[in-house]
């Protein structure tokens, strides 16, 4: 996505006479982690579950622009971007009580505006205010009766009065809205309301009073936490009440921490990235049991797979990146909190971009795998790019990568073999051109030379394609195709130390509706359920562009504990080994954990395999063979970890250290520092502006880098 975005920006009409853009793509399809393909039945197969959030300002702008360029027929299923993505407000958070699981429903309010509309995003102050308001609303819906606490006495001791509660404003007060009145004891909900009003009224112009006001604000939100827990025993409460209490506690701790570490010293989110998020919460007196076990905290790690080598017992997420990303996701969205694709990502996202790029004159060289970047003698420039041509097309014709299925331009899950020389044999040999462990010799060699074939290189491959990898079996080190760059530039070498996190995915098609499977919460997307397939979404809307038959479709994903992604390329059996492992993990998870989602699909202690749809109509557990599971162990498919301390090693797109090389991808430094489509798009935009010398604003790009008081109480 970063490379496609960069190419799109460089091929805008005003730049087309200046740049000739060529994309060299390994294998037969575009999209990276967002790539998808149709199988032999015409079903869509994803790398995992993709949800776009309402704060994806740049991603939605890109999507809106490319859809506006399409000349789709009136009856096309995905004719506009609104056809491709629909708002989704209903989510669920998994909560474990003893040995059983339940899901707490969370309905997100629709917000003004639409992602991609160009309107300013919220400031840090606005984001904190929204968070307080969301927790208020959650309490109003699920815990309307909660205990009072002695906040009134606390307020009286501080000489504070009523305007913070919104009960009126004093004309003579130079800082209206900053204070609390003494009076009746306040409930946790009222204290949160006071917190929200207080935040709204604060400015950076309080001078010497700023620190006093911030500390008092921290005390107030702590009082709200104490007020709720004065009545509730979280360990014995209902799952919903427990989650609300834990949410208030984590919000209070995080706000106190932000005040001490970020707001008072005027430091950016990145300033606390040398500490794990859980460790940071503990340092600011978070309850150890809540910090360790709460689903609210788990969400931070789960949504971007922040587990070392995918190991669920090794969560690791830099505190500033975690805090900033969650604030952006929950408190700065426009329209809906999240949006679900109405088809596969290949057809909903990648095909429109591909068509727009082709129309703009961008060239594509499929089946071209980069194997080396070579420096000039003075180590300042990329002088040569070495490439393996993986396959030849019939008659040397241009490869045409897409097919039309159910009215959409789709990408096949395998190459279109009839377009390739010796395609029948390649198919019989099951050659996987996207695999690190593809043993087939290249069909040819290509060397691109500076000044003859290129002027500038944008390194848009996923970091796993070029970082050093050490095989855990024997310690063999594959230095990657950028080893010359690492040897010449210590900063680039440190950049390549950012770790990877492998993932797994499962898709099941069912002959039962969601309700018939026993789920009673309506169409939903959930997080922090039973691991490892702890993220689930009902994606039945995709069935509208798939063959008829199944009644519902479900996507699952999670972290995959393995180091197989680093296995040396000669271990050609690794993909099959990983596939068998994930198959067994998925089968076992359905037997042991599916009850939490689909109680009607469990027969005794076993999953009822008859609920699975199978085009070949097999019996019993054999029907599982018709489902799709995937081990994302290709280094190019692994997520980039936001591990403690790793932010210091990230490079901005312009910081490669080589005059004609620009970096892009989710591994670079940007406003998320984590795996996300928005991260890749922001990085791709920045790379294009570096190449073209344009000074354009990218909303959210510096969200984690900017000091809190450098703008209107926060970062755009």
């Amino acid at each position: 996505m970063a490379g496609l975005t960069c190419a799109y920006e460089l091929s805008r009409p005003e730049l087309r006479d200046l740049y000739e853009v060529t994309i060299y793509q390994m294998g037969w399809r575009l999209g990276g982690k967002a790539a998808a393909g149709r199988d032999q039945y015409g079903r869509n197969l994803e790398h995992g579950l993709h949800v776009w959030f309402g704060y994806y300002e740049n991603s939605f702008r890109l999507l809106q622009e490319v859809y506006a360029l399409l000349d789709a027929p009136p009856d096309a299923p995905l004719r506009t971007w609104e056809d491709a993505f629909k708002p989704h407000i209903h989510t669920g958070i998994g909560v474990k009580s003893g040995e059983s699981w339940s899901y707490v429903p969370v309905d997100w309010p629709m917000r003004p505006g639409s992602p991609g509309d160009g309107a300013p995003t919220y400031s840090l102050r606005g984001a904190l205010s929204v968070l307080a308001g969301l927790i208020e609303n959650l309490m109003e819906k699920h815990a309307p009766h909660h205990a009072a606490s002695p906040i009134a006495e606390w307020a009286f001791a501080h000489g504070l009065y009523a305007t913070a509660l919104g009960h009126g404003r004093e004309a003579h007060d130079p800082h209206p809205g900053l204070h609390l009145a003494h009076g009746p004891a306040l409930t946790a909900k009222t204290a949160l309301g006071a917190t929200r009003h207080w935040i709204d009224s604060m400015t950076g112009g309080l001078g010497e009073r700023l620190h006093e006001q911030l500390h008092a604000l921290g005390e107030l939100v702590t009082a709200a936490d104490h007020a709720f827990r004065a009545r509730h025993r979280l360990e014995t409460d209902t799952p919903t009440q427990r989650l609300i209490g834990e949410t208030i506690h984590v919000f209070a701790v995080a706000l106190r921490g932000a005040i001490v570490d970020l707001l008072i010293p005027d430091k950016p989110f990145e300033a606390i990235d040398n500490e794990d998020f859980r460790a940071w919460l503990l340092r600011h007196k978070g309850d150890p049991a809540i910090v360790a076990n709460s689903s609210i905290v788990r969400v931070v790690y789960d949504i971007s797979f922040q587990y070392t080598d995918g190991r669920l017992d090794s969560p690791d997420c830099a505190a500033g990146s975690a805090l900033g990303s969650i604030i952006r996701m929950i408190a700065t969205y426009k329209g809906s909190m999240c949006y679900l694709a109405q088809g596969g990502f290949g057809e909903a996202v990648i095909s429109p971009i591909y068509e727009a790029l082709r129309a703009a004159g961008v060239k594509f060289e499929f089946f071209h795998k980069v194997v080396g970047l070579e420096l000039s003698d003075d180590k300042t420039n990329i002088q040569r790019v070495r490439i393996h041509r993986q396959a030849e097309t019939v008659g040397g014709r241009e490869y045409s990568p897409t097919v039309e299925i159910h009215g959409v331009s789709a990408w096949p899950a395998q190459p279109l073999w009839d377009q390739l020389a010796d395609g029948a044999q390649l198919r019989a040999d099951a050659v996987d051109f996207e695999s690190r462990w593809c043993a087939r010799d290249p069909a040819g060699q290509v060397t691109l030379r500076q000044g003859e074939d290129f002027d500038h290189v944008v390194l848009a491959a996923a970091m796993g394609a070029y970082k050093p990898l050490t095989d855990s079996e024997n310690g063999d080190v594959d230095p990657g195709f950028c080893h010359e760059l690492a040897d010449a530039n210590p900063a680039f070498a440190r950049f390549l130390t950012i770790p990877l996190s492998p993932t797994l995915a499962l898709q099941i098609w069912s002959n039962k509706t969601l309700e018939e499977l026993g789920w009673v919460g309506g169409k939903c997307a959930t997080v922090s359920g039973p691991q490892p397939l702890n993220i689930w979404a009902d994606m039945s809307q995709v069935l509208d562009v798939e063959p008829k038959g199944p009644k519902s479709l479900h996507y699952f994903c999670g972290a995959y504990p393995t180091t197989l992604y680093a296995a040396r390329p000669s271990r050609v059996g690794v993909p099959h080994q990983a596939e068998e492992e994930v198959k067994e993990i998925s089968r076992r998870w359905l037997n042991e954990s599916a009850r939490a989602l689909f109680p009607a699909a469990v027969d005794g202690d076993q999953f009822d395999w008859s609920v699975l749809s199978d085009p070949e109509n097999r019996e019993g557990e054999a029907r599982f063979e018709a489902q799709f599971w995937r081990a994302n162990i290709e280094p190019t498919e692994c997520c980039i970890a936001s591990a403690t301390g790793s932010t210091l090693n990230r490079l901005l797109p312009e910081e490669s250290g080589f005059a004609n090389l620009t970096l892009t991808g989710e591994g670079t430094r940007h406003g998320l520092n984590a795996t996300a489509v928005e991260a890749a798009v922001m990085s791709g935009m920045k790379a294009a502006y570096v190449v073209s010398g344009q000074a354009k604003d990218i909303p959210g790009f510096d969200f984690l880098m900017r000091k809190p008081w450098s703008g209107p109480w926060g970062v755009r």
Side-chain angles (χ1 to χ4, degrees):
M1 280 297 297
L4 294 174
T5 302
C6 180
Y8 178 79
E9 294 293 333
L10 288 173
S11 62
R12 288 184 176 276
E14 64 271 22
L15 297 177
R16 288 177 194 169
D17 291 338
L18 297 177
Y19 301 105
E20 181 181 281
V21 181
T22 303
I23 292 177
Y24 292 87
Q25 173 64 48
M26 178 176 69
W28 68 95
R29 57 182 167 178
L30 303 171
K33 297 179 185 66
R38 296 297 186 113
D39 66 7
Q40 69 270 31
Y41 306 117
R43 306 178 306 180
N44 178 66
L45 310 180
E46 298 280 356
H47 285 54
L49 171 60
H50 302 287
V51 173
W52 277 25
F53 294 104
Y55 76 87
Y56 280 15
E57 180 71 15
N58 301 289
S59 303
F60 274 105
R61 180 197 61 82
L62 171 65
L63 201 68
Q64 289 157 12
E65 289 188 8
V66 297
Y67 267 91
L69 297 172
L70 290 180
D71 186 22
D75 59 346
L78 306 178
R79 187 168 179 267
T80 68
W81 78 271
E82 290 97 336
D83 295 330
F85 280 86
K86 300 291 187 185
H88 183 75
I89 66 169
H90 187 58
T91 62
I93 299 176
V95 177
K96 188 177 184 182
S97 302
E99 295 302 314
S100 64
W101 285 85
S102 57
Y103 287 86
V104 175
V106 179
D107 291 330
W108 302 92
M110 293 293 291
R111 303 293 307 278
S114 175
D117 63 12
T121 52
Y122 288 91
S123 65
L124 178 56
R125 173 176 61 177
L128 293 173
S129 175
V130 169
L131 282 172
L134 287 172
I135 299 172
E136 271 189 279
N137 293 338
L138 192 65
M139 293 179 67
E140 183 68 32
K141 181 175 181 180
H142 295 291
H145 306 294
H146 30 77
S149 73
I151 298 178
E153 288 74 13
W154 168 85
F156 181 75
H158 284 73
L160 308 178
Y161 54 95
T163 51
L165 295 175
H167 295 323
R169 301 191 180 276
E170 303 291 336
H172 64 274
D173 180 16
H175 302 292
L178 294 181
H179 312 298
L180 278 171
H182 74 87
L186 303 178
T187 66
K189 180 177 179 297
T190 311
L192 282 168
T195 300
R196 178 169 49 81
H197 285 294
W198 197 329
I199 291 169
D200 287 344
S201 62
M202 290 185 70
T203 70
L206 292 173
E208 295 179 356
R209 296 191 62 197
L210 175 61
H211 290 187
E212 172 195 342
Q213 292 290 325
L214 286 170
H215 281 302
L217 177 63
E219 291 184 43
L220 175 58
V221 74
T222 299
D225 176 26
H226 291 167
F228 191 90
R229 294 207 284 166
R231 173 170 177 174
H232 294 274
R233 291 179 55 83
L234 300 186
E235 64 273 16
T236 58
D237 267 351
T238 67
T240 299
Q241 290 175 326
R242 191 171 105 206
L243 192 71
I244 291 172
E246 292 171 351
T247 301
I248 296 172
H249 178 71
V250 172
F251 176 66
V253 175
L255 182 55
R256 289 200 307 266
I259 289 169
V260 171
D261 291 343
L262 305 178
L263 295 177
I264 288 178
D266 195 21
K267 292 183 177 180
F269 286 108
E270 289 184 343
I272 56 173
D273 270 352
N274 62 341
E275 200 169 6
D276 173 66
F277 182 63
R278 277 193 170 100
W280 180 76
L281 291 175
L282 290 174
R283 180 163 63 83
H284 289 286
K285 298 184 170 47
D287 183 306
I290 292 176
V291 171
N293 303 313
S294 172
S295 294
I296 283 295
V297 178
R298 261 191 62 195
V299 167
V300 174
Y301 295 83
D302 285 358
I303 58 174
S304 54
F305 314 104
Q306 296 301 327
Y307 297 92
T308 303
D309 287 336
R311 299 198 312 272
L312 300 174
D313 60 352
S314 297
D316 185 6
C317 189
S321 295
L323 183 63
S325 296
I326 290 296
I327 285 177
R328 287 193 70 182
M329 180 179 72
I330 295 176
T332 70
Y333 69 87
K334 290 185 286 187
S336 179
M337 190 269 194
C338 62
Y339 291 77
L340 296 182
Q342 304 302 295
F345 259 62
E347 49 252 30
V349 177
I350 307 304
S351 287
I353 297 175
Y354 172 63
E355 295 299 334
L357 292 178
R358 280 175 50 87
V362 173
K363 299 177 182 178
F364 292 86
E365 295 288 354
F366 291 96
F367 301 101
H368 281 66
K369 179 181 180 179
V370 176
V371 294
L373 298 185
E374 298 178 354
L375 295 175
S376 57
D377 292 340
D378 63 2
K379 309 299 183 185
T380 63
N381 284 273
I382 304 299
Q383 189 173 46
R384 287 177 297 274
V385 180
R386 292 192 296 108
I387 296 173
H388 283 172
R389 190 165 59 247
Q390 298 173 292
E392 302 282 4
T393 57
V394 174
R397 293 191 291 270
E398 179 182 0
Y399 183 75
S400 179
T402 59
V403 294
E404 184 171 314
I405 298 179
H406 291 277
V408 298
S409 177
W411 301 76
Q414 295 186 14
L416 297 171
W417 302 107
D418 59 347
Q419 295 187 39
L420 301 182
D422 299 321
Q425 187 60 53
L426 293 171
R427 181 174 188 173
D429 293 341
V431 175
D432 185 353
F433 295 107
E434 294 179 334
S435 179
R436 168 178 171 81
W437 298 276
C438 180
R440 183 177 184 272
D441 292 334
Q445 309 280 345
V446 178
T447 300
L448 306 179
R449 291 175 171 81
Q450 181 189 15
E452 299 176 25
D453 305 298
F454 70 88
D455 296 303
H456 202 94
V457 174
V458 177
L459 181 54
M463 182 181 282
Y466 56 86
K467 72 182 266 86
L469 297 171
T470 302
D471 191 324
S472 60
E473 183 179 79
N474 57 14
D476 284 354
V477 177
D478 178 355
F481 67 72
C482 288
H483 58 89
E484 280 195 32
L485 284 63
D487 292 342
N489 181 359
F492 193 89
R494 290 192 296 271
F495 176 57
L496 299 185
T497 65
I498 296 174
L500 304 179
S501 180
T503 64
L504 47 77
L506 171 68
Q507 292 174 213
I508 61 173
W509 291 260
S510 178
N511 51 36
K512 303 289 186 182
T513 65
L514 184 63
E515 293 73 19
E516 289 171 338
L517 291 171
W519 176 264
V520 296
K523 186 174 181 61
C524 195
T526 68
V527 68
S528 296
Q531 290 172 324
L533 292 167
N534 51 304
I535 300 174
W536 162 71
D538 170 25
M539 295 295 286
S540 300
Q541 74 279 0
V542 177
L543 294 174
D544 290 343
V545 290
E546 288 192 2
K548 304 303 179 186
K551 293 182 179 179
S552 63
L553 171 59
H554 310 275
Y555 289 8
F556 303 85
C557 63
Y560 174 28
T562 187
T563 57
L564 286 176
Y565 65 87
R568 62 188 185 277
S570 60
R571 291 174 59 185
V572 295
V574 161
H576 178 71
Q577 177 185 343
E579 181 183 1
E580 289 300 305
E581 286 182 3
V582 171
K583 177 183 179 181
E584 176 56 25
I585 289 171
S586 300
R587 188 196 64 78
R588 187 169 62 248
W589 188 92
L590 288 172
N591 274 328
E592 297 175 356
S593 302
R595 185 187 300 274
L597 294 170
F598 309 138
V602 178
D603 184 6
D605 293 330
Q606 297 291 310
F607 186 74
D608 181 2
W609 305 103
S610 70
V611 305
L612 298 180
S613 180
D614 179 4
E616 299 182 22
N617 202 28
R618 285 165 282 206
E619 296 292 331
E621 190 172 340
R623 299 178 74 84
F624 184 68
E625 298 294 330
Q627 314 312 305
F628 176 66
W629 57 92
R630 184 181 181 95
N632 288 314
I633 60 161
E634 296 293 341
T636 54
E637 297 169 348
C638 293
C639 292
I640 301 295
S642 304
T644 303
S646 63
T647 298
L648 291 174
N649 298 324
R650 288 178 179 261
L651 296 176
L652 291 166
E654 64 267 33
E655 293 180 333
S656 75
F658 306 97
N660 65 341
L661 177 68
T662 299
L663 307 173
T664 194
E666 62 190 12
T668 60
R669 190 174 169 214
H670 45 70
L672 288 171
N673 291 345
T675 291
V677 166
E678 179 73 355
V681 170
M682 286 192 295
S683 183
M685 293 172 68
K686 181 66 171 177
Y689 301 157
V690 170
V691 172
S692 61
Q694 296 173 294
K696 290 186 176 182
D697 180 54
I698 302 172
F701 185 83
D702 62 352
F703 189 86
L704 302 178
M705 310 171 205
R706 188 184 296 185
K707 294 180 179 180
W709 301 106
S710 63
W713 220 97
V715 208
R716 291 202 332 140

